[in-house]
Amino acid sequence: MKLHLFQLGTNPVGAPVPGYLVQLDDGTHVLVDTGFPRDAGPGAFVRVGPGEGIEARLAGVGLQPQDIGVVVCTHLDPDHAGNHDLFPGAEFVVQRGHYELARSGTLGRLDMARAKWDLPHLKYRLVEGDTELLPGLVLLESSGHVEGHQSVLVRLPRTGAVLLAADAIPSADHLDPDARAMTPFDVDEAAVRSSTRKLVERARAENALLVHGHDARQWPTLRTGPGAYYD
């Protein structure tokens, strides 16, 4: 099993917009998030540099969108779900509560990339709570940033556990559940603190590398870029 960390763009505060690829030994390719819409145009709030689009990142490891069997959606914010339409053959896995919230149209920011993720031919699998998706791949419900946000725990044979916190823990400044400040996009403070505590404790129990969702200081310390992976 291998885990690739992709930078799919840069947000307005100079932090990475990440996506992740898990390659299982049986040949299954699991993508975690699809990045910001590739056709957003000039002036978009996420800058996608040359070679940073999800198609280019996959090509860098010898894959095409049709090779992806599963797409895990941490959540449907536009910088995480902006290219779902590139993967019509994949199964999309999302928390039921989040999918229902997004479909309801009551949280405006989830509509920003709706034309990419709310398509009748896309196949969604709705899960509820913590779920072992595949051997070595566990989804951890981590609401607060938005209802039904999920993080991903990957248990690698040599590296050990890696916990992809996504926006539940966007940076090292958000690791203390009692003292952390809320981001402008967090919707439920109590749930944010509960999820932060849950993930920090899980990372400690698993002796896991905890990868923050948008951390400009952590990203250069990680194995990223062409040819780099955890295994």
Side-chain angles (χ1 to χ4, degrees):
M1 183 186 294
K2 293 180 181 179
L3 170 64
H4 299 263
L5 278 56
F6 296 148
Q7 181 163 348
L8 302 178
T10 305
N11 71 15
V13 299
V17 172
Y20 311 98
L21 173 69
V22 182
Q23 295 180 289
L24 278 67
D25 294 340
D26 66 0
T28 301
H29 302 295
V30 180
L31 185 64
V32 180
D33 291 343
T34 63
F36 195 69
R38 61 197 179 280
D39 54 359
F45 72 90
V46 169
R47 179 177 58 82
V48 180
E52 287 187 340
I54 188 59
E55 290 174 288
R57 290 302 193 197
L58 290 174
V61 294
L63 298 177
Q64 300 179 47
Q66 57 263 38
D67 297 318
I68 301 300
V70 179
V71 177
V72 172
C73 316
T74 63
H75 59 306
L76 296 168
D77 275 350
D79 55 336
H80 294 261
N83 295 292
H84 281 32
D85 58 317
L86 286 174
F87 304 93
E91 177 183 61
F92 291 82
V93 184
V94 65
Q95 292 284 325
R96 179 180 298 276
H98 183 68
Y99 185 73
E100 291 175 350
L101 170 67
R103 290 292 306 277
S104 75
T106 57
L107 185 61
R109 75 188 207 224
L110 301 180
D111 281 339
M112 294 177 67
R114 187 165 193 150
K116 305 296 187 182
W117 61 260
D118 191 11
L119 298 170
H121 62 278
L122 296 184
K123 302 180 291 291
Y124 279 89
R125 174 182 170 188
L126 307 182
V127 299
E128 298 184 59
D130 297 353
T131 302
E132 184 174 11
L133 181 63
L134 293 163
L137 193 61
V138 180
L139 309 181
L140 300 173
E141 197 276 345
S142 48
S143 289
H145 177 69
V146 65
E147 180 185 349
H149 181 283
Q150 60 185 352
S151 305
V152 183
L153 177 67
V154 186
R155 295 191 180 107
L156 297 164
R158 294 203 298 179
T159 301
V162 180
L163 203 168
L164 309 172
D167 286 8
I169 303 179
S171 78
D173 296 330
H174 300 89
L175 285 168
D176 185 338
D178 298 314
R180 69 168 285 178
M182 299 297 106
T183 75
F185 298 104
D186 293 336
V187 301
D188 185 329
E189 182 171 346
V192 162
R193 297 192 187 283
S194 176
S195 290
T196 302
R197 182 173 291 105
K198 170 183 176 176
L199 295 180
V200 169
E201 290 178 353
R202 185 65 174 263
R204 186 179 299 120
E206 300 260 358
N207 193 28
L209 169 63
L210 181 57
V211 178
H212 313 142
H214 301 282
D215 194 331
R217 288 174 293 177
Q218 184 191 38
W219 194 254
T221 73
L222 302 171
R223 297 179 202 166
T224 65
Y229 57 84
Y230 293 88
D231 60 6

